[in-house]
Amino acid sequence: MNAEIVSIGSELLLGQIVDTNASWIAQRLAASGVNLFYKTTVGDNLDRMVDILDRALDRSDVVITGGGIGPTQDDLTREAIAKVTGREVVTDPESLEELRERFQKRGFILTKNNERQAQIPSGAIVVKNPNGTAPAFIVETDRGVTISLPGVPFEMKWLVDNEVIPYLREKYGLTQMIHYRVLKVADIGESAVDDRIGHLIADSKNPTVGVLAHPGQVDVRIAALAESVDEANKLIEPVDAEVRKLLGDNIFAVDDETIESVVGNLVKENNATVATCEDLSGGSVASAIQKAADSAFLQSSIVNSNEALEKIARTGGETPPFSDGAERAAALARAIKKTTGATYGIAVHGTEEGDQRTENLGRGETYIVVSGPNGERTRHVRSAGRGGPDRQRAAMGALSLFRRELLGLPE
């Protein structure tokens, strides 16, 4: 069986609310072995809702809607589903009585508009919602099943875990689930990862292999369909081993591990301390290192001019002027290490080319230097910028280079 999610609400189309509900539901469906082929968003317009739901039932076995079952006039999910399935909207007496009791307990009077929350398409299965006033409902037809959930996240999540997934397992005899492992890769880009493991991606069936790129990081996802996590892991292991063989020490973490948690553990194991100095990255490096090293992070200097950089260098016993960006970054790493007494000094120095407004891969040069007991380790990145992705990339680059220094890995 395959499923589709239809998110309902004009506020989603206007960007007033980010649709995190659909992503969360998608994860729960995947973990239960349900194929999700489509996700659609539609505003609070009855004709467009009917059109989308009609298409969804043409191509999917199960359609899960989110939102539009509240008390206001723009909550039109009941009417839309009733129209698509050829039913009337009726009041469910039991739901109406529960609504009255709930309002009375809170000292409120049930108004006419709130009574709408007890309305459902005729013949629908009522799904009680203990966390909210609007019940969910399920409509079964020859075309497929429609499950309507509230848009309030905590209400929706409880219903999915406690009502929807058990219903789907029983109705469709679901015995399998999807389990996946994510290998996190640094220091090589998405195209380079694809070049090394592309044949695994192209040839994979179960488990499947896919990649997802972030600034400074690539995730390799290995997903297996099986009847248990143990069985899935047995399928994943040989593919995991092959990916590790091809990507080597560029793999720095697995699943919930982060570059910060990995580096933080290494700092503790080495009984080390660290201090940083940066300019264009604007504190991104300091924030990442502080998260990683916790109390082992001693100090950071964030500057915005060459004059300020040279002052830090002089304070640390370095002598400007410097011949290029690499020499300047190395001097800063040594200076911040010396003035703070840290085991390691990390400097990230960037120079932009011209006046640019790009948010990602800005033109320029970035130099990252880690200065420690064993000398200095330098990385040169042929981009520089103040945008969010560039700052994230600079922080990732600094942490990755620091990880390699702590492990004694080659650059």
Side-chain angles (χ1 to χ4, degrees):
M1 50 90 67
N2 58 75
E4 179 165 345
I5 297 171
V6 177
S7 299
I8 296 170
S10 297
E11 66 275 10
L12 299 173
L13 294 177
L14 293 170
Q16 294 175 316
I17 295 177
V18 177
D19 187 10
T20 57
N21 282 2
S23 298
W24 190 91
I25 294 171
Q27 292 173 7
R28 286 299 194 269
L29 293 176
S32 300
V34 178
N35 295 314
L36 179 67
F37 290 158
Y38 302 96
K39 288 197 294 184
T40 309
T41 303
V42 62
D44 300 308
N45 177 281
L46 186 60
D47 291 338
R48 287 192 286 272
M49 290 168 66
V50 168
D51 178 56
I52 289 298
L53 290 168
D54 194 45
R55 293 188 199 182
L57 283 170
D58 277 343
R59 63 194 180 191
S60 303
D61 302 305
V62 175
V63 179
I64 300 175
T65 71
I69 58 174
T72 61
Q73 293 302 309
D74 60 354
D75 287 319
L76 301 170
T77 301
R78 305 173 189 85
E79 290 80 358
I81 292 175
K83 190 170 183 179
V84 169
T85 58
R87 302 172 182 230
E88 296 181 353
V89 175
V90 299
T91 298
D92 178 61
E94 187 176 340
S95 297
L96 182 60
E97 185 58 33
E98 287 185 2
L99 270 174
R100 284 201 181 101
E101 290 178 1
R102 183 169 294 186
F103 271 68
Q104 287 173 357
K105 286 180 180 178
R106 296 171 60 192
F108 299 133
I109 297 174
L110 185 68
T111 58
K112 272 291 180 186
N113 63 336
N114 274 302
E115 288 182 6
R116 293 187 69 235
Q117 295 180 100
Q119 294 179 344
I120 58 171
S122 60
I125 301 169
V126 176
V127 182
K128 293 185 178 181
N129 175 12
N131 298 300
T133 53
F137 58 87
I138 300 171
V139 176
E140 298 179 336
T141 69
D142 292 340
R143 297 178 67 191
V145 172
T146 304
I147 303 172
S148 294
L149 301 171
V152 180
F154 71 86
E155 295 181 30
M156 175 275 297
K157 290 178 180 179
W158 189 95
L159 287 165
V160 168
D161 283 341
N162 294 276
E163 298 289 349
V164 174
I165 297 300
Y167 167 83
L168 293 176
R169 286 191 179 280
E170 182 177 352
K171 181 172 180 62
Y172 292 96
L174 299 177
T175 59
Q176 294 184 310
M177 44 79 71
I178 295 175
H179 177 65
Y180 60 87
R181 182 178 303 170
V182 177
L183 304 180
K184 300 180 180 180
V185 181
D187 305 329
I188 54 175
E190 183 181 18
S191 59
V193 170
D194 181 73
D195 183 59
R196 297 189 195 183
I197 68 167
H199 62 288
L200 296 177
I201 298 172
D203 299 337
S204 63
K205 290 183 173 58
N206 189 27
T208 59
V209 180
V211 298
L212 177 63
H214 311 276
Q217 176 179 323
V218 179
D219 292 345
V220 178
R221 183 192 65 254
I222 308 169
L225 178 66
E227 294 190 0
S228 67
V229 172
D230 288 342
E231 289 298 318
N233 282 330
K234 288 178 183 178
L235 295 171
I236 289 171
E237 288 299 340
V239 182
D240 178 296
E242 183 66 15
V243 172
R244 290 178 184 275
K245 179 180 176 182
L246 295 168
L247 297 179
D249 58 31
N250 290 306
I251 296 174
F252 66 86
V254 179
D255 291 335
D256 293 335
E257 291 179 316
T258 64
I259 188 68
E260 290 87 356
S261 66
V262 169
V263 169
N265 288 333
L266 290 171
V267 168
K268 290 176 183 176
E269 290 172 12
N270 285 270
N271 196 27
T273 54
V274 59
T276 63
C277 180
E278 58 187 303
D279 46 26
L280 289 188
S281 48
S284 300
V285 176
S287 178
I289 295 290
Q290 184 179 43
K291 185 177 180 180
D294 196 21
S295 60
F297 174 67
L298 301 185
Q299 180 179 315
S300 176
S301 294
I302 304 167
V303 296
N304 200 37
S305 69
N306 284 336
E307 291 78 8
L309 287 174
E310 291 183 358
K311 182 178 180 181
I312 290 172
R314 287 193 186 92
T315 304
E318 303 294 325
T319 308
F322 306 107
S323 60
D324 56 24
E327 187 179 335
R328 183 180 289 112
L332 290 169
R334 291 191 298 267
I336 200 72
K337 173 178 174 290
K338 181 177 180 180
T339 55
T340 61
T343 315
Y344 293 92
I346 300 176
V348 180
H349 170 55
T351 56
E352 294 176 293
E353 290 182 6
D355 182 20
Q356 54 183 317
R357 297 181 181 180
T358 180
E359 285 290 306
N360 186 35
L361 295 174
R363 298 186 311 276
E365 311 288 332
T366 298
Y367 298 91
I368 305 171
V369 177
V370 176
S371 177
N374 299 316
E376 292 164 10
R377 190 181 287 246
T378 302
R379 178 173 295 175
H380 178 203
V381 181
R382 297 188 182 280
S383 66
R386 301 175 187 273
D390 281 331
R391 292 186 179 198
Q392 185 179 342
R393 190 174 288 105
M396 183 68 195
L399 284 165
S400 180
L401 188 64
F402 191 25
R403 165 184 167 264
R404 288 189 167 274
E405 174 64 22
L406 291 167
L407 288 171
L409 297 173
E411 172 57 4

